[in-house]
Amino acid sequence: MPSRGRPKDPKSRLADHRKRLAQQGLKRVEAVVPADKVPLLQMLASAIRNGSFISVGPPASTSAYLKIERENPMQVVSTPWTVEALKAALEETDLLAPGEFATAISEGAGKVLEVEVNGAGGLIVFLAVEGEQIITTTILWPRADQEDPNSFEAMMLRSHKVLMPLCALGIDTVDGEEYYELFGAMSARSALSSVVTEIRTIANNALELAKELGPNNKDFAA
């Protein structure tokens, strides 16, 4: 059996991934947008890379926005969300494509909303309401599967703001084994559209991280 050689460190693997993107004719660009539009920009970038057609129209007027708020009261939340209310709202909203999310409530130490993101290969994002915050998380891969986890974690501490805007990398223990997870937090009074954007962002960041630096990233290579 041929020797696999010394595993590449995470920075080298990231450089290799970016080189592959360049060979595909893709170019890294820097864009300056309002903080609340970062998730939208991420989703647009991912859609463009996948060959989607993007149609852009002029911004809605203030009067149109106010009209939308009056006609869709669930977009403006005066009291904190509950897990049950979020589930019902996500099942009824027209903000999602048909079948985009599948939701279920699980109960362990506390109630958790499980959102299966079908457009992300069935990846599950978990939402828990804790006081005035909604905590969003998704489990990645076992820490033991990561080549040189210490170097990977050190690199992520320095780079996560660029690689994963609006969420962070953590380590959680599941059935006695350590797993990497992505997590974020937002106000429990956030508009439903913001909750949808948060779920999509966590799912998109998880896929991008797996493609760039995950232990099975070769499965994503072109």
Side-chain angles (χ1 to χ4, degrees):
M1 178 180 291
S3 172
R4 294 180 60 189
R6 183 178 178 182
K8 289 187 177 181
D9 62 85
K11 292 181 70 174
S12 297
R13 294 171 65 190
L14 179 57
D16 287 347
H17 174 73
R18 289 175 173 168
K19 182 178 180 180
R20 289 196 298 271
L21 293 180
Q23 290 171 343
Q24 296 170 36
L26 301 175
K27 182 178 180 180
R28 186 179 182 87
V29 298
E30 180 178 351
V32 180
V33 298
D36 63 339
K37 296 298 186 293
V38 170
L40 175 61
L41 186 62
Q42 284 184 300
M43 286 185 288
L44 288 173
S46 179
I48 291 170
R49 287 196 299 273
N50 292 327
S52 298
F53 175 78
I54 306 297
S55 177
V56 179
S61 66
T62 301
S63 59
Y65 178 75
L66 292 176
K67 181 173 183 289
I68 291 172
E69 285 191 336
R70 288 194 298 270
E71 295 180 353
N72 297 276
M74 287 301 289
Q75 295 295 312
V76 180
V77 180
S78 58
T79 57
W81 286 104
T82 64
V83 168
E84 292 86 356
L86 276 173
K87 182 177 187 298
L90 289 172
E91 290 174 346
E92 296 171 3
T93 184
D94 59 1
L95 294 170
L96 303 173
E100 183 178 355
F101 292 171
T103 62
I105 294 176
S106 63
E107 297 192 41
K111 289 184 180 179
V112 175
L113 179 62
E114 299 181 3
V115 180
E116 183 176 353
V117 184
N118 294 315
L123 180 145
I124 295 178
V125 177
F126 302 91
L127 286 81
V129 179
E130 300 180 2
E132 288 289 328
Q133 280 193 318
I134 298 173
I135 307 298
T136 55
T137 64
T138 191
I139 301 298
L140 299 175
W141 55 84
R143 185 174 185 267
D145 289 356
Q146 182 67 45
E147 294 179 359
D148 195 356
N150 291 328
S151 294
F152 170 72
E153 291 154 18
M155 186 274 294
M156 290 304 299
L157 283 173
R158 297 183 176 92
S159 308
H160 80 274
K161 287 190 292 185
V162 174
L163 295 176
M164 303 176 300
L166 301 186
C167 62
L169 182 74
I171 298 174
D172 194 13
T173 301
V174 180
D175 295 331
E177 184 174 9
E178 290 186 331
Y179 282 78
Y180 290 116
E181 67 169 353
L182 286 185
F183 65 93
M186 62 192 310
S187 169
R189 301 172 190 267
S190 297
L192 182 61
S193 58
S194 297
V195 177
V196 170
T197 296
E198 175 81 358
I199 295 170
R200 287 171 173 161
T201 299
I202 291 279
N204 181 69
N205 283 344
L207 288 182
E208 290 296 315
L209 187 61
K211 289 177 183 179
E212 292 195 354
L213 296 170
N216 298 314
N217 68 328
K218 293 182 178 62
D219 295 343
F220 296 96

